[in-house]
């Protein structure tokens, strides 16, 4: 299973002064709660899937690809400007060089190549079985 995320921001990790939050209205609080809920949902889904694949001794068959530190315009899903597309391409290029996790030093680039080979090998195996 290759799970491709749309990226997250560490915005919900940001701390706010009591003086600032005291001025927030219901809409601001709802937006903060929504951001926290969406982020928690993404992390929990990844955690559950990762756990299931580990329990099945198939952890090499699951890969979640997602940048978790988007900033600026790269966080805006509706910004399709050429400049933002170039920024997102750079985010993707940088992500390829990062390790998959603290426990897995394999880079995303290596992991994706491994996944591509695994899928190609399985397709060839199915094709060979079908020809008999």
């Amino acid at each position: 299973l290759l799970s491709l995320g749309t990226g997250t921001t560490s915005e919900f990790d940001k701390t706010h002064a009591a003086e600032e939050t005291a001025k927030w209205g219901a809409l601001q609080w709802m937006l903060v709660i929504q951001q926290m809920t969406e982020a928690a949902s993404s992390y929990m889904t990844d955690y559950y899937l990762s756990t299931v694949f580990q329990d099945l001794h198939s952890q090499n068959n699951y890969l979640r690809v997602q940048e978790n530190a988007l900033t600026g315009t790269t966080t805006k899903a509706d910004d399709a400007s050429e400049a933002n597309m170039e920024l997102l391409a750079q985010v993707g290029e940088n992500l390829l060089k990062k390790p998959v996790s603290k426990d897995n030093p394999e880079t995303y680039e290596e992991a994706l190549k491994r996944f591509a080979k695994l899928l190609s090998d399985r397709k060839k195996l199915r094709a060979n079985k079908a020809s008999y």
Side-chain angles (χ1 to χ4, degrees):
L1 174 63
L2 179 59
S3 175
L4 300 176
T6 58
T8 63
T9 170
S10 57
E11 185 69 27
F12 73 96
D13 290 335
K14 190 170 140 183
T15 58
H16 300 279
E19 295 82 21
E20 178 187 357
T21 59
K23 298 173 187 172
W24 286 0
L27 179 61
Q28 183 65 35
W29 280 109
M30 287 177 17
L31 290 172
V32 169
I33 292 169
Q34 178 186 6
Q35 287 175 343
M36 292 174 64
T37 303
E38 287 174 1
S41 175
S42 176
Y43 287 119
M44 291 307 296
T45 300
D46 177 42
Y47 174 78
Y48 289 137
L49 285 170
S50 178
T51 301
V52 167
F53 276 82
Q54 286 176 17
D55 287 347
L56 296 171
H57 305 288
S58 298
Q59 55 268 25
N60 288 333
N61 293 333
Y62 174 71
L63 177 63
R64 173 74 174 171
V65 179
Q66 175 161 280
E67 174 57 63
N68 291 316
L70 293 176
T71 59
T73 60
T74 62
T75 64
K76 301 192 182 325
D78 62 348
D79 185 350
S81 67
E82 186 174 338
N84 199 46
M85 294 295 105
E86 289 175 11
L87 282 172
L88 288 169
Q90 188 60 54
V91 167
E93 291 290 329
N94 293 342
L95 182 60
L96 288 172
K97 306 300 180 209
K98 291 183 178 182
V100 171
S101 71
K102 290 185 281 184
D103 301 328
N104 183 355
E106 179 181 44
T107 65
Y108 280 105
E109 183 174 26
E110 295 164 337
L112 288 166
K113 285 179 181 178
R114 179 179 51 77
F115 248 73
K117 179 164 179 16
L118 177 69
L119 291 171
S120 176
D121 290 348
R122 288 188 180 177
K123 182 178 180 182
K124 288 174 188 173
L125 182 63
R126 282 193 308 273
N128 286 339
K129 284 183 179 180
S131 66
Y132 287 112

